[in-house]
Amino acid sequence: MANLNSHDLLFLNSTEFKGFKERIEREYDFNIINTSLPEIISFTSKKLILHTSKGDFFLKEKPQYCSNESALKRSANFQDHVSSRMKIVPKILSTREKDYYIHWNGRYYFLADYKNGRHYNGSPKDIIAMIDALNVFQKIGTDYLDTYKDSKQEELARHESPDVALGIIDVKKKVKTENENLIFQEIVSLYENLCSEYATFANEKYTMAHSDFILFNLILDESGVVAINDFDNVKVLPRIHDMAEFLVSATLLNYIAPTTNLKLPIQINPEKVLFKYILERYISDFKLSDIEKQLLGTITEIIWLWSIVLAVFKDDYSLSDLKPAIETLQQRKVKTQIDHFCYNYHHDK
């Protein structure tokens, strides 16, 4: 089991969680027979699989950054809505008091149906299945936004793609040398330039987005996608945001399989065949507008920049390791490739 540390795991027999097992059994009216650890571990929240008298459930801690009242409601309400319309979205369990969360030692936890399967195996079939799932998911997200935009105004306030990368500034805490400080300054300048470029476009189409639609949040079997996990980051965003998230995770990040850690060398060029195939599916299946085609490259680069900076927080990379990718981003190579592909696709048709 890779990447296991105290940030990741929840042990019901530990001092920290003494009495929590009994509380869970009481709140959900079942007996916990035994537990097991998930195959994929991330560093943002504790998690555990519960094998109970009523079936298998996924117990997860809500990360602190999304545990304010509005984010808690938005996440649970949207997942509950989508799970009633997509069987591949795990349903959140309600407690005896009809709450979605249990509050324990200052943190929030929730239970959802556990769906067994595997992670991305590198096959085109998996990519097709995940893009198809995203297409359906977005239609439900748009319907949800249209249905509740008046009654849930606080939950459904619009966000913009650069908002997800606001934490970039905090990577200054990782600066150790003068060279790393120079790289940090380049990162901040690059982010500010991308934000300015983004602001020149008037976004047309927003949806209730997953906002973390990446390879490792999708569980598959031979029939296709069996689960879309991790609704912690859901918020109203341009609909192409999730497309850019998936494109980055599938073609621009060098993962240590089967964990969500990244490894060296940092990837600076997208995987060519897969990159083009995903873009083609986006343009044909999602019917992107001209503005969305122009924005896709900018959002992709924002998400890529944030992804590699986040890897510094996770100690996958040092700031110095980012230099080749920062240079590629400064040269706008990825956006240029996306813009050229969209232009050529349109004219070839």
Side-chain angles (χ1 to χ4, degrees):
M1 185 70 65
N3 189 27
L4 303 187
N5 57 58
S6 60
H7 297 292
D8 303 327
L9 304 175
L10 192 160
F11 294 105
L12 292 179
N13 59 352
S14 67
T15 302
E16 179 183 1
F17 293 100
K18 184 178 181 181
F20 194 33
K21 175 178 180 290
E22 292 74 18
R23 169 81 179 277
I24 294 171
E25 291 179 324
R26 184 168 63 253
E27 291 285 354
Y28 292 98
D29 193 27
F30 56 50
N31 295 318
I32 298 174
I33 300 169
N34 54 49
T35 66
S36 60
L37 301 177
E39 294 182 6
I40 296 294
I41 303 296
S42 66
F43 82 123
T44 55
S45 59
K46 291 181 170 64
K47 47 192 72 68
L48 188 67
I49 300 170
L50 305 181
H51 306 283
T52 80
S53 56
K54 290 187 176 179
D56 296 338
F57 303 102
F58 190 64
L59 173 64
K60 186 176 184 295
E61 174 191 51
K62 291 291 287 187
Q64 288 184 314
Y65 69 83
C66 59
S67 288
N68 61 73
E69 183 178 358
S70 179
L72 289 169
K73 288 181 179 178
R74 183 169 61 237
S75 173
N77 288 336
F78 184 54
Q79 184 167 352
D80 183 66
H81 176 89
V82 182
S83 67
S84 69
R85 289 156 176 79
M86 288 183 81
K87 66 179 182 179
I88 63 174
V89 173
K91 181 175 177 57
I92 292 186
L93 275 66
S94 296
T95 67
R96 285 176 177 266
E97 301 300 320
K98 306 301 180 184
D99 291 326
Y100 286 124
Y101 300 101
I102 296 179
H103 197 236
W104 181 266
N105 287 343
R107 303 300 295 271
Y108 290 92
Y109 297 83
F110 69 93
L111 265 70
D113 291 334
Y114 175 69
K115 295 180 180 289
N116 192 30
R118 60 169 175 79
H119 287 84
Y120 174 54
N121 63 10
S123 70
K125 181 180 177 182
D126 277 5
I127 292 294
I128 292 169
M130 290 187 280
I131 293 175
D132 288 344
L134 176 58
N135 200 341
V136 175
F137 183 90
Q138 286 204 333
K139 291 173 182 176
I140 295 172
T142 301
D143 176 69
Y144 183 85
L145 179 60
D146 291 341
T147 301
Y148 296 107
K149 62 184 178 183
D150 294 326
S151 58
K152 298 182 179 181
Q153 291 183 4
E154 183 180 355
E155 288 182 42
L156 302 184
R158 282 186 177 181
H159 292 77
E160 302 298 339
S161 291
D163 296 344
V164 305
L166 290 173
I168 279 176
I169 307 301
D170 295 330
V171 81
K172 186 175 183 179
K173 300 171 186 176
K174 293 287 187 176
V175 171
K176 297 178 181 177
T177 66
E178 180 57 32
N179 181 59
E180 289 187 340
N181 186 56
L182 291 174
I183 294 172
F184 168 71
Q185 297 300 332
E186 290 179 348
I187 289 171
V188 172
S189 176
L190 179 58
Y191 175 60
E192 290 174 347
N193 290 339
L194 288 168
C195 290
S196 296
E197 180 174 286
Y198 178 95
T200 64
F201 294 94
N203 295 317
E204 303 168 313
K205 300 177 182 179
Y206 288 79
T207 187
M208 191 65 164
H210 185 280
S211 193
D212 203 7
F213 199 93
I214 62 174
L215 295 178
F216 289 108
N217 282 332
L218 299 164
I219 307 300
L220 303 101
D221 64 14
E222 294 315 304
S223 67
V225 176
V226 296
I228 301 174
N229 290 329
D230 194 353
F231 280 62
D232 288 336
N233 296 297
V234 297
K235 57 180 68 70
V236 177
L237 285 161
R239 70 167 187 151
I240 55 173
H241 186 95
D242 278 350
M243 298 183 209
E245 291 263 13
F246 182 73
L247 182 65
V248 169
S249 75
T251 68
L252 276 163
L253 298 179
N254 192 11
Y255 288 108
I256 304 173
T259 75
T260 57
N261 297 64
L262 300 178
K263 64 180 180 179
L264 292 171
I266 291 180
Q267 196 163 335
I268 60 173
N269 294 306
E271 198 287 310
K272 189 173 182 180
V273 174
L274 189 55
F275 189 73
K276 290 184 175 180
Y277 176 74
I278 293 173
L279 288 175
E280 182 176 323
R281 288 292 305 270
Y282 285 173
I283 295 172
S284 61
D285 295 6
F286 293 77
K287 295 179 172 56
L288 301 186
S289 69
D290 289 340
I291 288 179
E292 287 177 318
K293 292 173 187 175
Q294 293 174 319
L295 255 179
L296 183 58
T298 305
I299 296 176
T300 297
E301 291 191 331
I302 290 170
I303 291 169
W304 185 30
L305 177 62
W306 171 233
S307 297
I308 57 177
V309 169
L310 185 59
V312 174
F313 286 115
K314 294 177 65 177
D315 294 322
D316 294 345
Y317 300 146
S318 69
L319 274 166
S320 296
D321 293 330
L322 302 190
K323 186 64 175 176
I326 298 306
E327 290 176 350
T328 299
L329 281 158
Q330 288 170 330
Q331 295 166 18
R332 310 306 309 277
K333 289 184 178 180
V334 172
K335 176 175 171 54
T336 298
Q337 289 181 65
I338 292 174
D339 289 349
H340 283 175
F341 182 88
C342 291
Y343 177 84
N344 292 333
Y345 182 91
H346 173 76
H347 284 79
D348 288 346
K349 293 297 181 180

